[in-house]
Amino acid sequence: MQKLEQIYEGKAKKVFKTDDPNLFIVDYKDDATAFNGLKKGTISGKGVINNQMTNRFMAKLEKAGVPTHFVEELSERETLVKKVSIVPLEVIIRNISAGSFAKRYGVEEGIVFDQPTIEFSYKNDELGDPLLNTAHALALKLATPEEIDTIKKYAFAVNDFLKDFWAKCGVTLVDFKLEFGRLVDGTIVLADEISPDTCRLWDSKTHEKLDKDRFRRDLGGVEDAYEEVMRRMMGAI
Ligand code: ADP
Ligand code: UDP
């Protein structure tokens, strides 16, 4: 598979065309940003971990009935994926209060919900990814009602899978963000990544944060946390 011109450079990954018009190569960087790009830094080795973790989860999810963009891991940092047109929604599932949920609703972090919540943000950096509901997404024609139903169904299925998986590793899945895309024929598939950049992961016993919050909140031990969750994942896969 030939890597052709770069078509996009985001905050954490680069996307390249290939000689197949339906396939892209994603290249994971060590760059880290938070607060809509206001805080910038590097997490050494993050690109390798996020690439490998994402791919292992995508392969497992595919088997569990959630279609994904994953095709083949090409190297430590590079993966061949199906080209999609990204649905401009950040889909966030929460099992426990944290982050913007705790801030917005004035509650402490760590409240375990009886049922997971789902919310959407409009994926638009200029607007700061504003929160929106299904009716807003339909009004803005970001997706069809059928696509929204499919996305919700897959997002909860991903949560069921990931929550159980991480529990076996002694890790509590607090919340996470997913992105979905449309294949050329319109099929909705899971895209982007599943990693400590996009999930909140707490040690089940100590509640120690093992994710990007260590970077966001200057807690130190960022690289160690990424390595720790990767090590635990590899022990359970
Ligand atoms: P951001 O755009 O938020 O800075 P990244 O640095 O992770 O994020 O960049 C990767 C970009 O590639 C994201 O915009 C994501 O929506 C997009 N993307 C992920 N998977 C695919 C795919 N299979 N096809 C096309 N674009 C994708
Ligand atoms: N998240 C993400 N990208 C974003 C926003 C959120 O991956 O642009 C993830 C984040 O890592 C967390 C979950 O989505 O696991 C919920 O994030 P939250 O809304 O609490 O926002 P934050 O605290 O990051 O502002």
Side-chain angles (χ1 to χ4, degrees):
M1 185 56 54
Q2 221 193 323
K3 195 173 177 183
L4 301 179
E5 82 256 31
Q6 181 179 307
I7 53 154
Y8 181 78
E9 175 157 11
K11 297 185 284 289
K13 304 190 284 299
K14 296 178 188 171
V15 183
F16 295 85
K17 280 191 180 171
T18 69
D19 47 16
D20 182 330
N22 292 321
L23 298 176
F24 281 165
I25 291 174
V26 181
D27 188 340
Y28 286 69
K29 306 189 286 181
D30 285 349
D31 299 355
T33 64
F35 314 118
N36 204 14
L38 279 176
K39 183 180 168 81
K40 288 193 176 72
T42 303
I43 302 174
S44 177
K46 170 174 86 85
V48 174
I49 288 174
N50 288 4
N51 181 42
Q52 296 180 348
M53 187 180 288
T54 296
N55 293 342
R56 280 158 183 75
F57 278 140
M58 294 262 180
K60 290 251 176 207
L61 285 164
E62 195 84 51
K63 283 195 183 143
V66 178
T68 78
H69 73 166
F70 177 61
V71 178
E72 188 190 354
E73 190 167 289
L74 299 176
S75 72
E76 278 192 327
R77 289 175 187 270
E78 294 167 309
T79 293
L80 190 64
V81 298
K82 293 174 189 163
K83 167 185 165 178
V84 301
S85 136
I86 292 284
V87 177
L89 293 172
E90 299 205 332
V91 182
I92 293 170
I93 298 270
R94 301 177 191 271
N95 297 303
I96 296 179
S97 65
S100 70
F101 182 97
K103 204 171 164 201
R104 189 182 322 126
Y105 301 118
V107 296
E108 64 195 277
E109 294 202 315
I111 301 166
V112 180
F113 303 145
D114 291 341
Q115 297 168 77
T117 67
I118 187 163
E119 72 204 43
F120 297 123
S121 292
Y122 181 17
K123 190 173 153 60
N124 184 320
D125 282 341
E126 273 151 51
L127 299 176
D129 297 340
L131 192 68
L132 46 62
N133 65 27
T134 301
H136 295 148
L138 294 175
L140 293 168
K141 297 198 178 354
L142 304 182
T144 65
E146 294 74 26
E147 286 175 336
I148 301 253
D149 285 348
T150 304
I151 286 171
K152 284 183 181 164
K153 183 181 76 179
Y154 289 159
F156 284 119
V158 172
N159 186 46
D160 289 340
F161 173 84
L162 288 181
K163 224 168 55 156
D164 286 356
F165 183 90
W166 280 122
K168 287 187 213 129
C169 309
V171 171
T172 302
L173 177 65
V174 175
D175 59 27
F176 58 95
K177 183 265 304 179
L178 300 175
E179 293 183 24
F180 292 87
R182 301 176 188 97
L183 297 179
V184 181
D185 68 2
T187 308
I188 293 284
V189 300
L190 179 64
D192 207 51
E193 68 177 279
I194 301 174
S195 72
D197 270 15
T198 62
C199 303
R200 282 197 171 92
L201 303 167
W202 293 353
D203 181 273
S204 302
K205 283 206 187 94
T206 64
H207 295 177
E208 187 192 355
K209 296 184 199 316
L210 299 171
D211 57 62
K212 197 172 150 188
D213 270 349
R214 301 207 72 84
F215 168 78
R216 293 190 190 98
R217 303 179 188 190
D218 294 320
L219 299 175
V222 186
E223 279 89 359
D224 287 349
Y226 278 66
E227 281 164 21
E228 175 65 16
V229 278
M230 188 63 193
R231 197 182 55 74
R232 290 201 206 178
M233 180 205 202
M234 293 308 283
I237 206 123

